[in-house]
Amino acid sequence: MAAPGAERECAEAELCADSQGGSGVKVVPPSEAAAPAPLCPHGPTLLFVKVSQGKEETRRFYACSACRDRKDCNFFQWEDEKLSGARLAARECHNRRGRPPLSRLQCVERYLRFIQLPLTQRKFCESCQQLLLPDDWGVHGEHQVVGDVSVTQLRRPSQLLYPLENKKANAQYLFSERTCQFLVGLLSTLGFRRVLCVGTPRLHELIRLTTSGGKKSNLKSLLLDIDFRYSQFYMEDSFCHYNMFNHHFFDGKPALEVCRAFLQEDKGDGVIMVTDPPFGGLVEPLAITFKKLIGMWKEGQSQDDSQQEMPIFWIFPYFLEARICQFFPSFCMLDYQDGRKWKHCFLCKKCVKPSWIHCSFCNHCAVAYHSCEGPKDGCFICGELDHKRRSCPNISTSKKANKAVRKQKQRKSNKMKMVTTKGQSMNHTFGTRKRKRRDRVHQYLCS
């Protein structure tokens, strides 16, 4: 039975809120779910439970694993909700519409045909983000099309494709060239031979460029990424369409076996995983996924090596160090910075900005002159602790008040401009009269 609309909206709003604190939502491990998770366009959904002041509510719900903003994927279903056959059919139809327009095999066939074309016939539609074959030109005639796509451009697809900047789902704030060069050099120096690139397309590109460019590099890489657009630039053994929040391979078992073979090559020796998840991604589902990849890697090892751990570089916000270490106690923060030097606070157990100090009253690091009575857990509008700002019943009143304040400030600003302009005009008039009087006096004295 469906829940009342208000209860549903409240749960959906909390899903979009931050779940790292005492209120919000948290992920329920798959082992605690009563039934298999329903599917959305991004694969199996995750089971969430609303948390208020550290206490879990009784009713749990399913939502998209990759998108925490309903504008990107509006899937929502209570765990105990029974759906009719018509709703299930409609959902299946919706999921089919959300799939990529071309299958993996079709993308490979198109790519092989594309690279055989002369340079003058290699075109890329920026509007549709798609490589074009001659048969496609008519359909894309009025679109923004780039011509003469070179082999170098094909090897750097991240420079052809527009980045997807939703920080909670894709967050393709891509590595700079300097960062990629540093990582490739470091991985080679450490003796790794294979790199599983999970959400790091530019690192994957540079590794392949370094290998194909005749340079001395033994590195191989496999890219796992949720952006299906990369399917049109790579063969099946170098890219898998993948959701890192639920360990879902969109192309099924063949893609899963590609990943398995890559991890277990040479009995798992010489492989490392480098991952750069979306900035707003939840740690819990990522940790569950990475443990599954680790388990896949361990399947290819002998009993003597069963205690070894797969090397992993996890690039994530520094303030989530403690959260990551809850799931991987052996992990430690590296001391490498691309920007200014940070310092480690042993009381907070994390790295902080060099200008911050540890406040014994707040029990964490902050700027030197800060208010110790900052915003606490709960709503920023009314101060209540049982909900977040997005689900506050007074949010409309708050918005109206803020709008009124902005209008008042704008009127005051316009009034000041008008007064200034009027004053400038009066000064100009007074100066003109003074000059005329001086000219008459001068004429009189000279006559």
Side-chain angles (χ1 to χ4, degrees):
M1 183 172 124
E7 186 182 359
R8 176 187 292 265
E9 290 175 4
C10 181
E12 291 169 348
E14 291 294 341
L15 180 61
C16 299
D18 181 17
S19 64
Q20 306 294 348
S23 297
V25 296
K26 80 171 189 178
V27 179
V28 179
S31 58
E32 298 180 15
L39 301 178
C40 76
H42 302 94
T45 55
L46 294 180
L47 184 60
F48 294 90
V49 61
K50 185 179 175 183
V51 179
S52 180
Q53 294 302 296
K55 296 181 180 180
E56 296 184 6
E57 295 196 353
T58 56
R59 205 167 188 197
R60 307 188 296 192
F61 60 93
Y62 289 100
C64 180
S65 61
C67 306
R68 290 171 61 200
D69 194 325
R70 293 198 68 225
K71 291 182 291 185
D72 301 306
C73 182
N74 62 359
F75 186 97
F76 184 92
Q77 178 183 324
W78 293 110
E79 184 185 23
D80 57 358
E81 188 174 358
K82 303 299 181 184
L83 301 184
S84 64
R87 284 190 62 185
L88 289 172
R91 175 178 291 172
E92 176 60 27
C93 181
H94 174 75
N95 290 346
R96 282 198 300 269
R97 288 198 301 267
R99 292 171 188 164
L102 298 172
S103 69
R104 190 72 180 93
L105 181 60
Q106 287 175 318
C107 288
V108 171
E109 291 175 348
R110 288 174 60 88
Y111 175 74
L112 293 175
R113 290 174 58 192
F114 187 87
I115 59 178
Q116 298 297 324
L117 295 173
L119 181 64
T120 54
Q121 294 186 20
R122 293 186 200 152
K123 298 182 179 182
F124 176 77
C125 179
E126 290 186 332
S127 305
C128 301
Q129 298 285 279
Q130 181 181 337
L131 295 175
L132 301 181
L133 296 173
D135 296 341
D136 306 324
W137 292 355
V139 180
H140 300 263
E142 297 182 358
H143 295 181
Q144 190 71 28
V145 175
V146 175
D148 298 340
V149 179
S150 65
V151 174
T152 302
Q153 288 176 298
L154 289 174
R155 290 176 177 172
R156 303 300 296 262
S158 66
Q159 298 181 2
L160 274 176
L161 301 170
Y162 293 134
L164 305 175
E165 297 182 349
N166 185 328
K167 70 179 182 179
K168 294 177 180 177
N170 305 102
Q172 290 183 323
Y173 300 100
L174 302 169
F175 288 160
S176 66
E177 187 68 18
R178 178 187 172 205
T179 300
C180 291
Q181 293 284 358
F182 167 78
L183 287 173
V184 170
L186 179 64
L187 296 173
S188 298
T189 302
L190 293 174
F192 293 107
R193 299 187 299 277
R194 299 188 311 285
V195 184
L196 183 66
C197 298
V198 183
T200 56
R202 284 213 169 153
L203 179 63
H204 176 66
E205 291 172 4
L206 186 60
I207 291 174
R208 290 173 58 83
L209 273 175
T210 305
T211 304
S212 62
K215 299 180 182 179
K216 294 182 179 180
S217 175
N218 296 323
L219 283 178
K220 294 195 305 182
S221 66
L222 171 65
L223 175 62
L224 309 183
D225 202 283
I226 198 170
D227 189 351
F228 69 87
R229 298 176 300 172
Y230 286 104
S231 298
Q232 58 189 321
F233 295 93
Y234 296 117
M235 303 296 286
E236 297 101 320
D237 61 348
S238 54
F239 172 74
C240 296
H241 188 199
Y242 179 75
N243 183 349
M244 71 173 75
F245 289 99
N246 58 7
H247 189 56
H248 177 64
F249 289 87
F250 289 88
D251 296 304
K253 190 174 181 180
L256 173 65
E257 293 304 321
V258 167
C259 181
R260 189 192 305 277
F262 184 85
L263 288 173
Q264 296 180 4
E265 184 179 331
D266 294 334
K267 296 183 178 179
D269 186 45
V271 69
I272 184 173
M273 184 177 87
V274 181
T275 181
D276 181 28
F279 181 86
L282 296 174
V283 173
E284 294 95 327
L286 290 172
I288 293 172
T289 289
F290 297 159
K291 287 182 178 180
K292 290 180 179 178
L293 290 171
I294 293 171
M296 194 185 300
W297 169 75
K298 283 190 173 183
E299 290 174 4
Q301 291 190 308
S302 62
Q303 292 295 329
D304 298 335
D305 300 327
S306 59
Q307 300 302 318
Q308 290 188 1
E309 295 188 11
M310 185 173 75
I312 296 177
F313 280 174
W314 184 342
I315 296 146
F316 219 44
Y318 72 94
F319 48 81
L320 291 173
E321 176 188 6
R323 190 73 172 151
I324 292 174
C325 289
Q326 287 180 6
F327 298 94
F328 298 98
S330 62
F331 278 30
C332 62
M333 179 83 77
L334 297 182
D335 58 357
Y336 174 77
Q337 297 94 13
D338 277 331
R340 56 179 176 166
K341 189 175 181 180
W342 294 63
K343 64 180 182 180
H344 188 81
C345 177
F346 291 95
L347 297 175
C348 293
K349 297 181 180 179
K350 65 181 180 181
C351 292
V352 297
K353 296 179 181 179
S355 58
W356 286 18
I357 60 172
H358 189 84
C359 177
S360 57
F361 183 81
C362 297
N363 198 29
H364 63 75
C365 286
V367 293
Y369 301 100
H370 68 280
S371 173
C372 291
E373 298 180 358
K376 299 179 181 178
D377 215 8
C379 179
F380 285 88
I381 296 176
C382 65
E384 294 295 333
L385 301 177
D386 60 345
H387 62 269
K388 290 285 188 177
R389 177 184 179 276
R390 291 193 180 203
S391 55
C392 181
N394 299 325
I395 190 169
S396 58
T397 306
S398 174
K399 287 181 178 178
K400 289 180 181 178
N402 291 336
K403 189 175 182 181
V405 171
R406 286 196 299 269
K407 283 186 176 181
Q408 186 176 2
K409 287 182 178 179
Q410 186 64 37
R411 285 197 297 268
K412 186 176 180 180
S413 176
N414 293 339
K415 186 177 180 181
M416 291 178 66
K417 289 179 182 177
M418 186 173 65
V419 170
T420 303
T421 305
K422 185 177 180 181
Q424 290 174 348
S425 177
M426 291 177 65
N427 290 336
H428 176 73
T429 304
F430 179 76
T432 303
R433 289 175 181 172
K434 192 173 182 179
R435 282 197 302 273
K436 287 182 178 179
R437 192 183 304 117
R438 187 172 61 248
D439 291 343
R440 285 199 300 269
V441 170
H442 179 74
Q443 290 174 0
Y444 175 77
L445 292 176
C446 293
S447 60

